Amino acid sequence: MKKRINKILPFIFSLILCVGFITCSDDDRENLDLSGGVRILSFSVNGVDGTINDESGTVQILLPMGTDLTKLTPKITLSDRAVINPAGNEAMDLSKATKFRVTNGNLYKDYMVVASHIKGEMLSFSIGKYKGTIDNDKRTVHVRYPKTEDVTKLVPEFTITNGATVTPAQGATVDFTKPVTYTISYMNETFPYVVTVEKVDIKPIAFLGVANSASAIENMDEKTAYDWFAANVADFEYVSFNDIKNGKDLDGFAAIWWHSDGNTQALPTVALEPTIVTSLKTYYQNGGSFFFSSWAVQYVSALGIAKDGKAVNNMWGETNDATPIGDDWGLCFTGNESHPIFAGLQKPIGINNKVYLLGKGVKARGHNAIWNFEWGDYANNIPLWTTKNGAINLASYHWDDQLKGRSVMFEYPKVGTSGIIICIGVESYDWYNEDGSIVNLYKGNIETLTSNIFNYLLK
């Protein structure tokens, strides 16, 4: 009997506690004020209304060029009885995204507010199959065009900011013997772009792979990357490791891209065969450039490009299943904002030092081949790594604002007669939409980044 009572008493005590909690919760709930609205109804600066997006919680304000965005006094109207912090009744810096919290009773809603200058931009520019490199900060467009072709009667195709106009107009025949100014007009502002067509000896870019032909590529991430490559690179060729083993002449290629993203981090045996390594070393030493992505970033060790002989020190994820990611993934490149490989990327509102490559909910396998500077030979000493290894840190994870903890994207600059190498081993550089998951809203950044890398290597 005593045993039964000992068992029953804890149960009764727990039940009393639960009832108490429920009662308290009901009382508290009755005291909550959930009746008020928490919306920004209007937000204006200097008489210019901002664009409010309640769903995303953002306010964007476009102001004329020359406006000091660091000293703006907003006028704000809110839902009845709501208050906002900051109050917005004094001059403030809105050049960077600033959080405003609207509170009404026990409810609140956050808005990110940013002001920027009106910009009419050149979004794309091509002449036939030859795509231009656009620098919207400097307002320039550079097109590499075959030196044997006439440039006096060319008809470019381009896209500009929605709602803007431009002269010369779309479809106009233009003489590009000298640089031509395209003037974009948008919201009573003008934005002149200087377009230069450079006549050069066009060399193809090679896509390197283990498969004996492009049609035989089995890995879906590698296949998707190749399909984009074939559709967007003017002059290209697929080259297999066996082609090189059989004597393929590499001198005619401007650059070589190897994207290795399979289910093992180990480099394929064929890539390490002495004749192939020697051929690729010679190509590099004679000025040939490489782009290595995912597991392929290790190849800098085998080719003798890393001065200390060391490859990345942190690799994982080869057996990962396709999993929806929980947040946006991308890159932070503080200090390298002006590097041409980051030009034209779509950045978060009010931020200039980071971009996203994979959107929340997209399924990815998450392969990583990176440098981690929290431990190892170069712990907390990136300058020593640059000196000993020869690489320059270009980008870290999007959350590493100071670029002190990781290098997920790095460059080996030209040394003597050598070429240039760009490496990216971060999980967010992922081409294939696994299992047909939601559309990757940042796919355009992956494509632009890759195009920028090719253009950089062709310099």
Side-chain angles (χ1 to χ4, degrees):
M1 185 67 163
K2 183 177 181 180
K3 290 183 179 179
R4 291 184 61 190
I5 292 174
N6 287 340
K7 291 181 179 178
I8 293 172
L9 284 177
F11 171 76
I12 295 173
F13 181 70
S14 298
L15 184 61
I16 292 171
L17 284 178
C18 289
V19 171
F21 284 139
I22 293 171
T23 303
C24 290
S25 296
D26 287 342
D27 290 342
D28 290 342
R29 189 176 295 112
E30 289 177 1
N31 294 326
L32 292 177
D33 182 0
L34 306 176
S35 62
V38 285
R39 292 180 55 213
I40 292 179
L41 302 180
S42 69
F43 195 109
S44 64
V45 173
N46 298 343
V48 177
D49 291 330
T51 300
I52 302 170
N53 188 320
D54 289 310
E55 184 176 348
S56 62
T58 60
V59 180
Q60 298 184 60
I61 310 160
L62 293 177
L63 298 169
M65 296 294 290
T67 304
D68 187 349
L69 304 181
T70 67
K71 297 178 181 179
L72 300 177
T73 303
K75 292 184 178 180
I76 310 169
T77 59
L78 308 168
S79 299
D80 186 37
R81 296 184 293 115
V83 295
I84 191 168
N85 184 39
N89 53 8
E90 59 184 8
M92 58 195 313
D93 183 359
L94 294 180
S95 64
K96 299 178 181 178
T98 302
K99 183 170 73 173
F100 284 73
R101 173 164 291 187
V102 181
T103 305
N104 201 338
N106 294 102
L107 296 177
Y108 73 86
K109 179 178 177 60
D110 290 335
Y111 287 83
M112 297 303 292
V113 179
V114 66
S116 55
H117 292 129
I118 295 168
K119 288 184 180 179
E121 295 185 322
M122 188 73 72
L123 304 179
S124 69
F125 194 100
S126 62
I127 302 175
K129 64 180 182 179
Y130 300 99
K131 296 188 177 183
T133 301
I134 300 171
D135 188 327
N136 280 312
D137 293 326
K138 297 179 181 177
R139 294 184 198 151
T140 60
V141 181
H142 179 257
V143 184
R144 301 174 78 253
Y145 203 71
K147 65 181 181 181
T148 57
E149 298 293 325
D150 178 28
V151 297
T152 62
K153 297 179 181 179
L154 300 178
V155 183
E157 294 184 357
F158 51 83
T159 57
I160 59 176
T161 299
N162 186 36
T165 59
V166 64
T167 56
Q170 186 82 255
T173 301
V174 181
D175 180 357
F176 283 102
T177 305
K178 296 180 180 179
V180 175
T181 298
Y182 277 70
T183 302
I184 297 174
S185 299
Y186 182 60
M187 297 181 69
N188 299 318
E189 302 269 352
T190 57
F191 306 89
Y193 277 72
V194 177
V195 180
T196 302
V197 174
E198 181 186 9
K199 298 182 71 173
V200 296
D201 183 13
I202 299 289
K203 290 184 177 181
I205 299 173
F207 188 98
L208 181 60
V210 174
N212 286 330
S213 66
S215 61
I217 298 174
E218 295 182 353
N219 177 273
M220 288 307 299
D221 203 75
E222 296 170 13
K223 177 176 171 52
T224 304
Y226 173 79
D227 288 344
W228 173 87
F229 175 83
N232 289 275
V233 175
D235 294 279
F236 71 94
E237 184 177 337
Y238 179 84
V239 176
S240 72
F241 282 103
N242 279 330
D243 289 335
I244 299 174
K245 183 178 180 179
N246 294 329
K248 178 73 174 180
D249 183 9
L250 301 177
D251 289 341
F253 293 108
I256 297 174
W257 178 21
W258 184 21
H259 180 61
S260 179
D261 199 59
N263 292 328
T264 175
Q265 62 182 244
L267 294 177
T269 302
V270 66
L272 302 175
E273 292 189 17
T275 56
I276 293 175
V277 170
T278 298
S279 180
L280 289 170
K281 275 186 177 181
T282 301
Y283 167 78
Y284 166 69
Q285 292 164 356
N286 289 339
S289 294
F290 291 106
F291 172 35
F292 295 132
S293 49
S294 198
W295 307 126
V297 302
Q298 305 170 75
Y299 212 29
V300 297
S301 176
L303 296 183
I305 294 166
K307 293 193 297 184
D308 60 1
K310 299 181 184 298
V312 290
N313 67 350
N314 199 191
M315 292 187 288
W316 76 94
E318 64 245 73
T319 59
N320 282 353
D321 293 327
T323 306
I325 66 173
D327 204 352
D328 294 341
W329 286 355
L331 306 171
C332 180
F333 41 90
T334 303
N336 296 315
E337 291 89 346
S338 62
H339 197 297
I341 63 177
F342 299 121
L345 298 175
Q346 296 302 308
K347 305 177 182 69
I349 296 173
I351 296 175
N352 194 45
N353 66 337
K354 66 180 63 178
V355 296
Y356 295 112
L357 303 181
L358 281 184
K360 180 179 179 179
V362 175
K363 283 191 175 183
R365 293 187 181 275
H367 299 158
N368 282 275
I370 69 170
W371 278 98
N372 188 321
F373 297 116
E374 293 182 348
W375 40 260
D377 294 337
Y378 303 115
N380 303 310
N381 200 336
I382 294 178
L384 180 63
W385 168 70
T386 296
T387 299
K388 296 291 187 180
N389 182 267
I392 299 171
N393 190 7
L394 296 181
S396 183
Y397 290 110
H398 59 273
W399 46 262
D400 185 9
D401 287 321
Q402 300 303 314
L403 258 68
K404 290 183 177 180
R406 310 287 191 277
S407 180
V408 304
M409 187 174 187
F410 43 98
E411 173 182 355
Y412 291 89
K414 178 183 286 290
V415 178
T417 61
S418 79
I420 302 171
I421 293 88
I422 296 291
C423 297
I424 181 168
V426 67
E427 57 198 341
S428 56
Y429 187 79
D430 191 275
W431 285 88
Y432 182 57
N433 189 5
E434 302 283 351
D435 300 335
S437 63
I438 65 172
V439 174
N440 178 19
L441 298 179
Y442 302 114
K443 184 68 174 290
N445 273 343
I446 294 178
E447 295 171 350
T448 299
L449 178 65
T450 306
S451 292
N452 288 346
I453 290 170
F454 292 149
N455 290 325
Y456 182 68
L457 296 179
L458 295 179
K459 288 170 45 177

